[in-house]
């Protein structure tokens, strides 16, 4: 409905014995503020036939995160569900999963509505 889809091939599979592949390439966008790494494993590339939206994150030539304004609404697309796994929050102090979620929710929330506050302790 928004012109976004996912690729058909799984991408960025973790190596044997490791947990996830860190996404290290982030582009300026409100959803990426303070983010340097978030993990994925066997995700799917974010795609848009009309090249819609803003690319937020890439790794190894694959688009993993994309943000799109559509009318008065917003859409955020992420290529993997590992950002919901506890292990990504607890076993990776080098990942900013919690901050990514807060940034996404804040960006998705209308500016004139109850905004999510980003605690300073998470940004540090």
């Amino acid at each position: 409905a928004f012109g976004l889809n996912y690729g058909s091939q799984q991408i960025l599979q973790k190596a044997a014995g490791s947990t996830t592949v860190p996404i290290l390439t982030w582009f300026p966008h409100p959803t990426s503020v303070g983010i340097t790494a978030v993990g994925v494993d066997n995700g799917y590339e974010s795609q848009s036939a009309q090249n819609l939206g803003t690319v937020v994150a890439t790794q190894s030539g694959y688009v993993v995160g994309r943000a799109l304004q559509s009318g008065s609404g917003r859409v955020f697309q992420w290529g993997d569900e590992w950002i919901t796994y506890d292990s990504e929050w607890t076993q990776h102090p080098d990942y900013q999963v919690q901050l990514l979620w807060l940034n996404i929710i804040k960006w998705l929330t209308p500016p004139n509505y109850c905004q999510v506050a980003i605690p300073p302790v998470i940004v540090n």
Side-chain angles (χ1 to χ4, degrees), residues 16-39:
S18 66
T19 52
T20 54
V21 175
I23 302 303
L24 303 173
T25 305
W26 296 85
F27 299 96
H29 189 268
T31 58
S32 64
V33 173
I35 308 297
T36 58
V38 171

Side-chain angles (χ1 to χ4, degrees), residues 23-27 32 46 54-59 62-66 76 78:
I23 302 303
L24 303 173
T25 305
W26 296 85
F27 299 96
S32 64
S46 167
T54 300
V55 173
V56 175
T58 65
Q59 190 64 37
Y62 298 110
V63 175
V64 181
R66 186 183 303 265
F76 187 83
W78 185 253

Side-chain angles (χ1 to χ4, degrees), residues 45-124:
E45 185 172 22
S46 167
Q47 297 181 337
S48 170
Q50 296 83 24
N51 206 23
L52 299 172
T54 300
V55 173
V56 175
T58 65
Q59 190 64 37
S60 302
Y62 298 110
V63 175
V64 181
R66 186 183 303 265
L68 172 70
Q69 279 207 232
S70 180
S72 61
R74 295 175 173 177
V75 177
F76 187 83
Q77 182 185 39
W78 185 253
D80 190 66
E81 84 281 3
W82 276 82
I83 60 172
T84 64
Y85 284 37
D86 290 348
S87 64
E88 298 305 288
W89 295 57
T90 59
Q91 296 176 17
H92 289 283
D94 53 324
Y95 290 177
Q96 297 83 35
V97 179
Q98 185 176 6
L99 180 56
L100 177 62
W101 273 109
L102 289 170
N103 286 349
I104 292 167
I105 292 168
K106 182 173 182 149
W107 183 73
L108 290 172
T109 305
N112 59 346
Y113 197 68
C114 182
Q115 281 285 302
V116 173
I118 307 295
V121 72
I122 293 176
V123 178
N124 294 333

